[in-house]
């Protein structure tokens, strides 16, 4: 069964001591982490993923790598998290059947696509306004409720989620809660 809390790393928000921030997140009891790097070279991303694998293993936490299936396999990660425009989940299944496959959905169409393609779960975002994607209009709880009813795979609410809003997300169909700043507070 997938953990209910899903921390996504962010090198800006995690600050100078990235690993200290990751340990703080894990100390809070988070047991599923997505290493998400958009600006690193493949080499740097691989090296960072190796370290993330060591630390998450200390806490028996699942580690998913954003986008890079090759790096996920090379470091022994538990899974990969695919961007909406990334490789199709079915392609990852051909590469390695038992990887956990997450998918970033931003509307009903992409949520249904992820499910049909065999993703294990989706993040649906942004539910609320978030400074990390200021350009994106928040979807809101009604959309979360509607999409959670229309897909059978777990839906993690993501984007602008605070501790006060978690209960509302569950009430509106979320399987779990994903976020960056939530777990750093
Ligand atoms: C450079 C870059 N920035 C943002 C994204 C967002 O893609 P998305 O579908 O939201 O998936 P995540 O990577 O955010 O999980 C991107 N693909 N590339
Ligand atoms: C990676 C990502 N994808 C959609 S919103 C987001 C970041 C969410 O950050 P926060 O939980 O701090 O709002
Ligand atoms: Mg995104």
């Amino acid at each position: 069964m997938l953990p209910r809390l899903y921390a996504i790393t962010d090198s800006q928000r995690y600050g100078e001591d990235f690993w200290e921030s990751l340990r703080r997140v894990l100390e809070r009891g988070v047991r599923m982490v997505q290493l998400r790097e958009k600006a690193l070279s493949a080499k740097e991303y691989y090296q960072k993923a190796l370290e993330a694998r060591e630390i998450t293993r200390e806490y028996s936490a699942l580690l998913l790598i954003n986008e890079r299936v090759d790096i996920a396999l090379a470091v022994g990660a538990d899974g990969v998290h695919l961007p909406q425009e990334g490789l199709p989940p079915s392609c990852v299944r051909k590469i390695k059947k038992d990887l956990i496959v997450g998918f970033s959905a931003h509307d009903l169409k992409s949520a249904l696509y992820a499910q049909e393609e065999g993703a294990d779960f989706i993040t649906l975002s942004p539910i609320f306004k978030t400074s990390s994607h200021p350009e994106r209009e928040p979807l809101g709880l009604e959309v979360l409720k509607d999409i959670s009813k229309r897909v059978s795979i777990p839906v993690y609410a993501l984007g602008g989620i605070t501790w006060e809003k978690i209960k509302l997300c569950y009430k509106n169909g979320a399987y779990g809660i994903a976020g960056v700043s939530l777990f750093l507070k």
Side-chain angles (χ1 to χ4, degrees), residues 8 13 36 106 125-126 130 132-133 136 158-161 178-182:
I8 301 173
R13 300 272 190 78
R36 180 177 183 270
H106 303 292
S125 67
T130 172
S132 76
H133 288 56
R136 284 211 176 127
L158 170 63
I161 298 175
V180 175
S181 46
L182 173 70

Side-chain angles (χ1 to χ4, degrees), residues 20-62:
E20 173 51 36
S21 295
L22 178 57
R23 285 187 182 280
R24 205 159 70 239
V25 167
L26 291 161
E27 288 294 335
R28 303 194 78 146
V30 171
R31 288 297 174 268
M32 188 158 88
V33 172
Q34 180 194 146
L35 181 67
R36 180 177 183 270
E37 294 287 347
K38 296 294 183 184
L40 295 184
S41 69
K43 185 177 171 188
E44 291 164 334
Y45 200 171
Y46 168 65
Q47 283 157 351
K48 197 162 188 177
L50 278 171
E51 179 70 13
R53 175 67 292 181
E54 285 313 305
I55 294 176
T56 49
R57 195 170 269 139
E58 277 177 48
Y59 293 82
S60 304
L62 296 174

Side-chain angles (χ1 to χ4, degrees), residues 47-113:
Q47 283 157 351
K48 197 162 188 177
L50 278 171
E51 179 70 13
R53 175 67 292 181
E54 285 313 305
I55 294 176
T56 49
R57 195 170 269 139
E58 277 177 48
Y59 293 82
S60 304
L62 296 174
L63 174 66
L64 281 72
I65 305 297
N66 185 279
E67 185 140 42
R68 296 294 304 251
V69 190
D70 51 349
I71 293 175
L73 292 173
V75 305
D78 300 283
V80 64
H81 192 103
L82 301 171
Q84 189 167 286
E85 300 308 317
L87 286 175
S90 58
C91 168
V92 174
R93 290 276 176 246
K94 286 180 195 154
I95 298 168
K96 186 87 167 29
K97 273 208 180 333
D98 60 0
L99 275 181
I100 298 173
V101 178
F103 185 92
S104 292
H106 303 292
D107 54 27
L108 175 61
K109 185 166 173 262
S110 56
L112 292 170
Y113 162 81

